[in-house]
């Protein structure tokens, strides 16, 4: 079975011109099918099919519902519709007004799903980001992707978005894209019959093993246990891109281009993910998993989730958002740890940033965008409180030790790339990592296989399993990671204290370090915010962390007896920048009392300008017991009484200060409340800003469609200009009077020959024909035109101009391409001089002959007429027949007979006329009259004298 490649081409503003360049440079017989998807105005009928057909000899068709794809055809999306492909058949989708219009992503995604490695995606000039997500899907399925380069792009936003996503194989000009398509078609083509259903993997198992060794040497990952079909498809794709005909040639290419190994490694990993993939799975988590996770859970126990194969982190953040939504207000009191791991350093680094393009968050609801995302340059960044829940690290799930006591493992669409051996190794690792009653969620195409004793199915639709308790311990074989090996090497090489190994010149330094570690007072280093940065010595007797959320702020971890004095001393040192010392502060430690002195010493500023302080603690010796004297053991003397009084005053002072502190804390609480209100207002403003951003995106989408429409109209205007020029030249070349009238009988266009006949000038365009006095005697032209418009029949009449020339005037309807009548076309055909048609015959006959017009005016007469009736041409031509001579022809019955010749197509035969003619005397003539055959507007009259015998 042979199947052609399908090339999806997405474009917006400026893309029509780029696609035209591709078509002009593309061979006609590539065997490929081309689908052109452009942002079109939904209310305007597209002329793309006609416009593209002028750029190529390849047939161009507009897509119809359930139309089958055929090779060497160009298909164009219709306006106001989306299009997808299933089983090589087009399906049209209604355009959804409530969602962003992303027709290119929609088609590319369906193309990747339907054609796999036979899909080719191209993003041309345009604004926005449509097409980026679709190209990712095409590349994930093994297809080939292109983007137009910046130099040739009229608008670079769409190609730039695609290129920045890392899913584009070639960034080229349209002409080079065409050449590369032709090369790919040639490489895939297996003969005249078309393209093979699978590109051939030309390589031996030995060559494949060499390739795996190269990958393992560079990436420390063994791909030999992955599914061979997937690997071969990926390798073949790289071979096509690198123009290597077989695997051995590709191995040689790898030897000379080490960077290609990393490219192949990244491609094999298939880093394709998205936010909230399969929404039904997240609904199942909220209904069936999260409630069980929280049931009978100890208050201080953290919720732990592991996402192996996390790629760029969308799955990790989706789980964090989903869990936060489920917990609601109680999320603040929970410790949530979501671990995302991947084998690629590059993917882990991108996941940590949490920055995603606008295209990547296209499927995220507006409410989630507002709550859990922040606008960033060129896209969105995950909110900090969500990022704080997530930890990303590099990990090979099959070789590195797993996390432990995990509540939920989400491993979706990772096992499908593993071979059976690797799957049997990984599933026991997941069982080991989960706590008792933990959950495992797999992808829709994955299962636990033969490990039913380890897991029980909880939700069939979402592939959620619950961990079983088992007495059989799975064999877990973890290889030491490269980092761990380096650590052990450094540890092995590090000299121990028991067996010193240092030069004698360092004796002084070693001795100083030993003395300082034993005799210097303990202390801590803090910054201006009283955050502890470093501990020196044993500071346990002076610190006592308070219950609750862990903190390194000194006010939270110092003993209560030292808190007030330490705060006072620190503020003084901060203000004066000189050391401050406090003495004789009694604390209780391990059931004993001890007096403590401390000193706050300002330190030199850090390289970044931050102020630092060193706090040193000194114990004061109280005696051998170190205990407070018991009451009543002995009567205190005056000094002791003075001591007790001072202590009471000190206690009162402390209580007073404590009250001040509490008031200060209350004030701080009010400030925090005000700050929360400010934050709430800020969130509302941010929400409003995001709504404006959404409106901006909608306007941008509309602007793209209008730009595309404008570009199409510009092309149409160019065509119309050309057609208008052709029409003007055609009309100018007509040696015939032609006038085009509208339905209101206004002049629309006329030929140069019509200017003289109808007495027109260029400024008369737009005037009614009835307002113009033409040289043609046709007074009822408007009525004739109205009859033609009403009846749709062609009318033909005869008319004479002021010089006596006759014309056959034909009036026909003016029809548009939509078969509507919008006026008439008037054509006047010069019928020539009617006397010329009969002059030779008239001079040859022995009878007088007259040529009369329709109103019985004499146009011409033959010489016999002038001679027989003794008249001249001046006395005859241009005069009515019944005015000739002494009106001998003014006979009512004769006039009536002659006037009936033209309208009734009649004939006058042997009409007898007796009259006393001047110079002739009394004569009798038989008059014969008939319509001129070649000019129906004239009458030929002959006179035959009756002679008596």
């Amino acid at each position: 079975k042979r199947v052609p490649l399908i090339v999806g081409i997405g474009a917006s503003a400026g893309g029509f011109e780029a696609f035209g360049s591709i078509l002009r440079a593309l061979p006609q017989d590539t065997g490929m099918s081309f689908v052109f998807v452009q942002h079109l105005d939904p209310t305007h009928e597209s002329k793309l099919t006609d416009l593209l057909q002028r750029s190529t000899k390849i047939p161009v068709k507009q897509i119809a519902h359930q139309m089958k794809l055929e090779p060497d055809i160009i298909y164009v999306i219709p306006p106001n519709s989306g299009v997808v492909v299933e089983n090589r058949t087009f399906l049209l989708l209604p355009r959804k007004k409530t969602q962003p219009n992303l027709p290119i992503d929609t088609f590319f995604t369906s193309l990747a799903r339907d054609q796999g490695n036979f899909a080719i995606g191209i993003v041309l000039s345009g604004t926005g980001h449509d097409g980026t997500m679709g190209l990712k899907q095409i590349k994930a399925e093994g297809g080939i992707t292109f983007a137009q380069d910046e130099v040739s792009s009229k608008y670079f936003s769409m190609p730039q978005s695609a290129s920045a996503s890392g899913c584009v194989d070639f960034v080229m000009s349209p002409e080079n894209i065409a050449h590369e398509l032709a090369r790919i078609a040639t490489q895939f083509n297996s003969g005249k019959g078309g393209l093979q259903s699978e590109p051939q993997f030309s390589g031996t198992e030995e060559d494949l093993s060499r390739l795996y060794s190269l990958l393992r040497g560079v990436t420390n990952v063994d791909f030999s246990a992955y599914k061979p079909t997937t690997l071969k498809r990926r390798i073949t794709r790289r071979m096509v891109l690198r123009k290597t005909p077989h695997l051995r040639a590709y191995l040689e290419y790898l030897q000379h281009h080490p960077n290609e190994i990393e490219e192949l490694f990244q491609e094999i990993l298939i880093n394709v993910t998205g936010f909230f993939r399969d929404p039904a799975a997240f609904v199942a988590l909220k209904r069936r998993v999260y409630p069980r996770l929280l049931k009978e859970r100890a208050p201080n126990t953290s919720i732990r989730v592991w996402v192996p194969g996390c790629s760029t982190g969308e799955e990790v953040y989706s789980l964090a958002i989903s869990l936060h939504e489920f917990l609601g207000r109680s999320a603040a009191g929970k410790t949530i740890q979501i671990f995302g791991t991947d084998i690629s350093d590059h993917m882990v680094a991108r996941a940590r940033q949490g920055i995603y393009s606008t295209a990547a968050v296209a499927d995220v609801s507006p409410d989630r965008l507002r709550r859990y995302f922040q606008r960033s340059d060129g896209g969105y960044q995950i909110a900090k409180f969500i990022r704080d829940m997530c930890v990303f690290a590099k990990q090979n799930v099959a070789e590195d030790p797993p996390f432990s006591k995990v509540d939920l493992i989400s491993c979706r669409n990772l096992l499908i790339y593993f071979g059976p051996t690797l799957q049997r190794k990984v599933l026991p690792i997941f069982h080991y990592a989960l706590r008792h009653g933990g959950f495992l969620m797999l992808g829709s195409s994955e299962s636990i296989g033969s490990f039913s004793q380890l897991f029980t199915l909880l939700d069939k639709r979402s592939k959620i399993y619950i961990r079983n308790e088992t007495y059989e311990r799975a064999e877990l074989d973890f290889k030491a990671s490269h980092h761990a090996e380096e650590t052990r090497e450094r540890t092995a090489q590090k000299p121990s204290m028991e067996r010193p190994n240092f030069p004698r010149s360092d004796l002084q330094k070693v001795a100083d370090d030993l003395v300082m570690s034993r005799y210097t007072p303990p202390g801590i280093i803090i910054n201006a915010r009283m955050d502890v940065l470093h501990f020196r010595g044993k500071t346990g007797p002076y610190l006592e962390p308070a219950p609750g959320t862990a903190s390194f702020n000194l006010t939270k971890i110092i003993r209560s007896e030292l808190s007030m004095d330490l705060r006072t001393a620190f503020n003084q040192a901060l203000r004066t920048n000189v050391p401050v010392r406090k003495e004789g502060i009694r604390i209780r430690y391990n059931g004993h009392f001890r007096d403590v002195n401390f000193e706050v010493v300002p330190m030199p500023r850090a390289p970044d300008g931050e102020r630092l302080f060193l706090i040193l603690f000194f114990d004061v010796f109280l005696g051998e017991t170190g205990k407070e004297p018991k009451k009543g053991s002995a009567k205190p003397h005056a000094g002791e009484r003075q001591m007790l009084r001072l202590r009471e005053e000190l206690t009162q002072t402390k209580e007073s200060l404590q009250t001040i502190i509490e008031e200060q804390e209350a004030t701080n609480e009010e400030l925090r409340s005000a700050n929360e209100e400010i934050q709430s207002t800020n969130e509302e403003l941010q929400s409003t800003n995001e709504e404006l951003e959404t409106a901006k995106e909608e306007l941008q989408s509309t602007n793209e469609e209008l730009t595309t429409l404008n570009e199409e109209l510009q092309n149409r205007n160019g065509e119309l200009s050309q057609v208008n020029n052709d029409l003007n030249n055609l009309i100018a070349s007509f040696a015939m009077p032609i006038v085009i009238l509208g339905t209101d009988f206004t002049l629309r266009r006329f030929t140069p020959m019509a200017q003289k006949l109808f007495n027109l000038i260029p400024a008369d365009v737009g005037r009614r024909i009835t307002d113009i006095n033409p040289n043609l005697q046709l007074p009822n032209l408007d009525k004739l035109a109205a009859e033609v418009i009403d009846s749709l029949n062609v009318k033909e009449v005869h008319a004479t101009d002021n010089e006596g020339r006759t014309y056959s005037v034909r009036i026909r309807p003016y029809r548009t391409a939509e078969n509507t009548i919008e006026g008439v076309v008037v054509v006047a055909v010069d019928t020539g001089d009617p006397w010329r048609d009969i002059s030779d015959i008239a001079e040859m006959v022995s009878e007088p002959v007259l040529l009369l017009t329709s109103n019985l005016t004499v146009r011409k007469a033959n010489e016999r007429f002038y001679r027989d009736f003794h008249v001249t041409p001046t006395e005859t031509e241009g005069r009515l027949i019944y005015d000739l001579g002494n009106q001998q022809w003014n006979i009512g019955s004769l006039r009536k007979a002659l006037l009936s010749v033209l309208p009734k197509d009649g004939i006058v035969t042997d009409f007898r006329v007796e009259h006393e003619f001047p110079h002739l005397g009394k004569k009798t003539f038989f008059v014969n009259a008939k319509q001129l055959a070649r000019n129906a507007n004239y009458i030929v009259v002959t006179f035959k004298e009756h002679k008596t015998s």
Side-chain angles (χ1 to χ4, degrees), residues 6 16 90 159 214 232 289 378 392-393 459 481 538 563 622 836 884 944:
I6 298 179
F16 172 79
F90 289 117
L214 283 174
K232 288 179 180 179
V289 175
F392 295 93
D459 189 299
S481 66
K538 297 180 179 181
S563 176
L622 288 179
R836 186 175 55 208
L884 295 179
K944 183 178 180 181

Side-chain angles (χ1 to χ4, degrees), residues 198-409:
E198 279 291 340
Q200 291 293 322
F201 178 79
S202 53
T204 64
E205 290 299 323
E206 182 181 354
D207 292 336
L208 196 58
S209 297
R210 287 180 56 200
L211 181 61
Y212 291 156
S213 297
L214 283 174
L215 283 169
R216 185 166 56 250
V218 174
T219 65
N220 201 31
V221 179
D222 184 8
F223 286 104
S224 60
Y226 281 57
K227 284 187 178 178
T229 54
T230 302
L231 291 173
K232 288 179 180 179
R233 185 180 297 116
R234 293 284 160 175
I235 295 168
T236 302
R237 182 180 182 279
R238 298 304 303 181
M239 290 166 57
V240 171
L241 296 180
R242 298 308 175 205
K243 308 176 184 179
T244 52
H246 47 76
L247 184 56
R248 187 158 297 179
Y250 185 60
L251 286 170
E252 293 178 1
Y253 182 89
L254 291 175
Q255 296 287 349
H256 296 89
H257 301 83
N259 291 338
E260 175 65 15
I261 298 178
E262 180 64 25
E263 293 286 339
L264 177 61
F265 170 66
Q266 294 297 337
E267 188 150 317
I268 289 176
L269 297 182
I270 315 176
N271 297 304
V272 176
T273 182
F275 285 101
F276 297 97
R277 287 186 304 168
D278 188 9
F282 288 91
V283 173
L285 288 175
K286 290 184 177 181
R287 289 180 178 176
R288 310 198 64 178
V289 175
Y290 295 161
R292 295 195 183 192
L293 289 182
L294 300 176
K295 188 177 181 181
E296 298 179 358
R297 174 178 291 273
N300 295 329
T301 306
S302 62
I303 301 174
R304 295 164 62 85
V305 181
W306 178 25
V307 183
C310 69
S311 187
T312 48
E314 286 92 331
E315 177 82 3
V316 177
Y317 291 126
S318 297
L319 287 169
I321 292 171
S322 172
L323 190 55
H324 187 272
E325 287 176 337
F326 177 80
L327 292 173
R329 295 183 177 180
S330 63
K334 303 289 184 182
T335 302
I336 302 173
Q337 295 176 317
I338 304 180
F339 305 100
T341 62
D342 197 90
I343 205 170
S344 169
D345 286 318
H346 177 65
M347 293 297 107
V348 170
R350 289 184 58 186
R352 286 193 184 119
Q353 292 178 349
I355 299 176
Y356 300 95
S357 66
T358 306
V361 300
D363 293 333
V364 179
S365 67
D367 180 60
R368 282 175 172 161
L369 274 179
R370 183 172 57 255
R371 293 179 61 191
Y372 300 109
F373 292 79
Q374 296 175 346
R375 270 285 185 180
S376 180
D377 293 338
Y380 291 85
Q381 184 175 28
I382 302 293
K384 188 177 185 303
F385 71 92
I386 294 294
R387 282 185 282 129
D388 290 343
M389 299 179 188
C390 305
V391 179
F392 295 93
K394 180 181 178 181
Q395 183 196 49
N396 186 337
V397 68
E399 297 182 357
D400 295 333
F403 295 91
S404 60
K405 297 182 180 179
V406 177
D407 296 287
L408 169 65
I409 295 177

Side-chain angles (χ1 to χ4, degrees), residues 133-168:
M133 294 301 295
L135 286 188
K136 284 186 177 182
Q137 297 296 330
I138 289 175
K139 185 168 183 179
E141 295 296 334
I144 300 173
T145 56
F146 293 82
Q148 188 176 356
D149 62 6
E150 184 174 6
V151 175
S152 64
S153 294
K154 193 172 182 180
Y155 298 92
F156 190 53
S157 179
M158 275 172 51
Q160 184 181 37
S161 174
S163 302
S165 69
C167 64
V168 176

Side-chain angles (χ1 to χ4, degrees), residues 21-34:
S21 300
I22 291 178
L23 295 180
R24 286 188 287 271
L26 194 69
Q28 300 178 31
D29 56 351
T30 60
M32 297 175 169
S33 301
F34 300 90

Side-chain angles (χ1 to χ4, degrees), residues 396-609:
N396 186 337
V397 68
E399 297 182 357
D400 295 333
F403 295 91
S404 60
K405 297 182 180 179
V406 177
D407 296 287
L408 169 65
I409 295 177
S410 175
C411 180
R412 300 201 289 166
N413 300 330
L414 176 63
L415 297 181
I416 57 175
Y417 303 113
F418 290 172
T421 303
L422 202 54
Q423 288 185 10
R424 288 193 296 269
K425 182 177 181 180
V426 168
L427 285 169
I429 293 176
F430 290 163
H431 183 270
Y432 168 82
L434 287 170
R435 66 167 179 82
H436 172 64
F439 299 90
L440 171 65
M441 182 167 66
L442 301 179
S444 58
S445 301
E446 299 169 334
S447 67
I448 60 172
S450 60
F451 291 97
S452 58
Q453 76 279 8
L454 299 181
F455 302 96
T456 299
L457 183 63
L458 178 67
D459 189 299
K460 184 177 181 180
R461 165 66 179 82
S462 301
K463 293 296 182 70
I464 299 176
Y465 299 84
I466 189 168
R467 180 185 187 274
N468 293 338
E469 284 300 315
T470 177
Y471 294 102
E472 297 180 6
R473 190 173 183 86
E475 293 291 335
L476 303 179
D477 179 22
F478 302 124
K479 296 182 179 179
S481 66
H482 182 66
H483 174 73
E485 290 176 356
E486 289 182 349
T487 303
R488 284 199 297 271
E489 290 175 1
R490 289 196 300 267
T491 303
Q493 296 171 2
K494 185 177 179 179
S496 64
M497 292 299 296
E498 288 75 15
R499 301 186 62 181
N501 183 13
F502 50 83
R504 289 183 177 273
S505 59
D506 291 341
L507 281 174
Q508 179 65 37
K509 182 177 181 302
V510 173
D512 290 343
D513 292 342
L514 183 59
V515 171
M516 290 181 64
S517 65
R518 296 188 62 180
Y519 298 106
T520 55
I524 53 177
I525 298 176
I526 62 174
N527 58 18
R529 296 182 299 276
M530 299 189 76
D531 295 326
V532 178
L533 306 179
H534 184 72
F535 295 94
R536 292 178 52 84
K538 297 180 179 181
T539 57
Y542 318 105
L543 305 180
E544 188 178 36
T549 304
S551 172
F552 274 90
N553 190 271
L554 185 58
T555 60
K556 301 291 185 181
I557 62 175
I558 197 69
R559 286 186 174 276
S560 58
E561 300 97 322
L562 294 172
S563 176
M564 185 185 63
D565 294 297
L566 186 58
R567 191 194 299 266
T568 303
F570 172 76
N571 289 333
Q572 185 178 351
L574 181 66
R575 186 176 61 257
T576 62
N577 201 33
V578 296
V580 178
R581 185 180 178 88
K582 293 288 184 178
E583 297 182 348
I585 303 168
R586 179 160 293 188
I587 64 174
R588 186 179 182 89
Y589 179 70
N590 286 340
H592 298 277
F593 289 96
R594 64 168 70 183
D595 283 351
V596 175
N597 301 337
F598 66 82
E599 188 172 2
V600 181
V601 182
M603 296 179 63
R605 288 182 180 267
D608 58 359

